[in-house]
Amino acid sequence: MTETAGGADVLTAQAMIMLADRPVVALSPAISEALFECERTNRTFQLVTSATSRLTLPLRASKAQWLVHDDGYYEGLTGRPMHWNGTAFVPLPDARDYAPTYTTPPTAPIGSQLVLTFQARHAPTAVLGLHTEKLMRLLTGEPPKGWGLTEPLQHPWDPEELTAHTATTSSSRIIAIGASSRPAISTSDFSPLVPPASGTAEMTTLTIGYTDDEDPPIPQLPSFIDLLSADHPLTALLAQLIPGRHDLTTEPRWMGSSAPIGLASAGAYTGPPGFSRKRLGPPDAPLTWFHLGNGYSPEYWQRHQDLLTHLRRTP
């Protein structure tokens, strides 16, 4: 591991390796540039940290592969043991279990993270970011504080400025953070609609943090989505709960399985049988909310799959 270029500690034909020995590693401009370079050159970006490091949510959501050095190497998000083969970190062939550190208890109490992933379609003249602003207000009491492409964020929250930025790029991932004491981070991907349609497609994931002694507002979600869709129509929204740190950073260890809460889909559906449904949104842009689970039962992901199968078959 000797060849280097740019901000990389190691560069091979297959991978770019960057070492980061910090308590919290964020999606910095240097890491963002490295990710772009890896995508352009068809390399894997591999970030190596110690077992005491944590990743911010935007970095975790990126295409970076997280490697943890702790008496060997393992993948920080999966616990899969890894080793260096001369050109990249790859799975250890004879490994039969998770890396020991991955299965040790977390360093802080496990809270919960409410995750809302939604899709929307925008007219060419639409102002972008308003869905995120409304949802963040509903869930935290405050609008976003700022937006940017890397961390720390570069701009105070301004949907008009955000819209102007996306108009100059073919596709763009935007990070936004909340302004209240309630941790909130969103990542939004904006891209042009496929011709002959015109406008912008949006895919956003908003994550809100709760401590271990707090109850996320699961019963209120349908009413929040109804209020959102009244002003800003949605194509779809999935709500789930993930065990994790209240501050929304990720430790390189097992925290528990995510579990679904519900799915909203554009349209007025009468089926399938066995699913609780609720009509949301205005009459000219209705949504149907399907209740899936309580957010604490991972086995209900099968209900989610069954529902998706039904919706794909529905005209």
Side-chain angles (χ1 to χ4, degrees):
M1 298 196 298
T2 57
E3 185 183 358
T4 61
D9 292 288
V10 179
L11 185 69
T12 72
Q14 284 72 42
M16 180 185 291
I17 315 301
M18 187 176 289
L19 310 179
D21 188 17
R22 296 189 295 275
V24 177
V25 186
L27 183 59
S28 66
I31 290 179
S32 179
E33 184 177 348
L35 285 164
F36 175 77
E37 179 66 15
C38 285
E39 186 173 0
R40 188 183 67 82
T41 59
N42 198 30
R43 287 183 171 96
T44 300
F45 178 72
Q46 298 185 315
L47 178 72
V48 182
T49 76
S50 70
T52 58
S53 294
R54 308 192 308 274
L55 299 193
T56 64
L57 194 151
L59 180 53
R60 173 180 174 161
S62 74
K63 294 183 179 179
Q65 184 181 17
W66 185 16
L67 281 303
V68 178
H69 184 206
D70 183 61
D71 191 24
Y73 295 89
Y74 69 94
E75 261 189 338
L77 298 181
T78 68
R80 179 170 57 175
M82 308 284 283
H83 76 117
W84 179 256
N85 73 352
T87 59
F89 286 100
V90 297
L92 197 63
D94 56 352
R96 297 292 181 268
D97 205 349
Y98 298 108
T101 302
Y102 183 73
T103 57
T104 59
T107 59
I110 299 178
S112 57
Q113 298 173 3
L114 178 63
V115 182
L116 304 179
T117 301
F118 65 83
Q119 300 175 42
R121 294 162 62 96
H122 304 281
T125 58
V127 176
L128 306 179
L130 297 181
H131 287 74
T132 296
E133 180 176 308
K134 182 69 173 280
L135 262 184
M136 222 178 255
R137 282 184 184 275
L138 289 169
L139 287 161
T140 72
E142 298 286 345
K145 179 180 182 180
W147 73 276
L149 308 182
T150 58
E151 300 174 286
L153 304 188
Q154 302 90 353
H155 311 285
W157 181 250
D158 184 339
E160 297 280 356
E161 184 183 10
L162 184 157
T163 302
H165 166 80
T166 61
T168 64
T169 59
S170 58
S171 62
S172 186
R173 167 163 286 193
I174 302 296
I175 306 165
I177 58 170
S180 79
S181 59
R182 170 78 58 201
I185 300 177
S186 71
T187 56
S188 301
D189 288 295
F190 296 100
S191 58
L193 291 169
V194 177
S198 60
T200 304
E202 175 181 357
M203 170 77 81
T204 292
T205 297
L206 171 63
T207 306
I208 312 291
Y210 299 87
T211 61
D212 59 321
D213 59 353
E214 293 180 310
D215 294 321
I218 293 175
Q220 290 78 38
L221 283 181
S223 62
F224 289 162
I225 297 168
D226 188 38
L227 289 170
L228 171 66
S229 59
D231 298 324
H232 310 294
L234 296 167
T235 303
L237 182 148
L238 173 66
Q240 60 182 302
L241 204 61
I242 299 177
R245 292 177 60 103
H246 162 254
D247 63 8
L248 304 183
T249 60
T250 299
E251 297 182 27
R253 66 195 76 247
W254 173 246
M255 292 283 192
S257 298
S258 64
I261 299 170
L263 173 72
S265 183
Y269 294 92
T270 58
F275 283 84
S276 172
R277 299 178 302 280
K278 188 172 185 179
R279 187 71 53 80
L280 306 176
D284 59 339
L287 277 175
T288 302
W289 168 260
F290 298 92
H291 178 73
L292 296 173
N294 59 7
Y296 298 95
S297 304
E299 63 270 17
Y300 285 122
W301 280 119
Q302 183 57 54
R303 284 176 57 80
H304 174 250
Q305 290 302 313
D306 294 343
L307 177 59
L308 289 182
T309 299
H310 172 83
L311 294 178
R312 292 189 185 109
R313 293 173 179 170
T314 302

